[in-house]
Amino acid sequence: FFLFSYIYMKHWIFYALLTIFFYGSQVIIRKYLFLDTSSSRDVTILFTSFLGLFLITASYVLYVKNNKKCDLKSNKKYLYLSILAAFFAAMGILTNNLSIFYVDNISKSASLVHPGQIIFVFLASILYFNKDFNIRHLFGILFSCIGIYLILDK
């Protein structure tokens, strides 16, 4: 009960847990689909992934535009940054699919990608956004690196 009340108080934790569920589920589904390694099927999986992502994102953008009166045309900086973020998201999906396709155990790929993202975002937040860090953060990054090594080492 305490955990649920804490999660309710911290909305970002709730959404992070949902992200873990949805992202983990799609990785498992894609690996299942990649078990048949015909190249035409690989292209179909990528196409449907990108198409589904586009449809969901476009629906959300239309919803926000209609309800919040958001206009990206008036602010070109946000439009260009949104396009750049979408490009990086698409490249992330593409390279993640290739990683899932080539790895024998998908936990190896996930154990490298997710802590790697944490380390990358942590360093970017310090360098670009001038966020403070302390010894606990450094130990967390160190333990993430050790965890990546232990999982990937044979």
Side-chain angles (χ1 to χ4, degrees), residues 23-106:
Y23 192 77
S25 298
Q26 65 91 17
V27 168
I28 293 168
I29 291 168
R30 286 186 184 168
K31 184 60 179 181
Y32 176 77
L33 292 171
F34 280 136
L35 290 177
D36 177 20
T37 58
S38 64
S39 61
S40 64
R41 189 172 190 149
D42 300 341
V43 174
T44 304
I45 293 169
L46 286 176
F47 175 74
T48 54
S49 297
F50 284 122
L51 180 64
L53 182 64
F54 171 75
L55 292 174
I56 291 170
T57 305
S59 300
Y60 180 71
V61 167
L62 289 174
Y63 170 77
V64 168
K65 182 179 178 192
N66 290 334
N67 291 334
K68 307 247 185 197
K69 306 300 181 204
C70 179
D71 187 19
L72 287 177
K73 291 180 193 174
S74 64
N75 194 338
K76 297 290 186 192
K77 175 184 173 183
Y78 292 121
L79 178 64
Y80 295 138
L81 287 175
S82 297
I83 292 170
L84 183 63
F87 172 77
F88 281 125
M91 290 298 101
I93 291 171
L94 178 66
T95 54
N96 189 30
N97 276 337
L98 291 172
S99 174
I100 291 168
F101 177 72
Y102 287 113
V103 73
D104 56 341
N105 183 353
I106 58 176

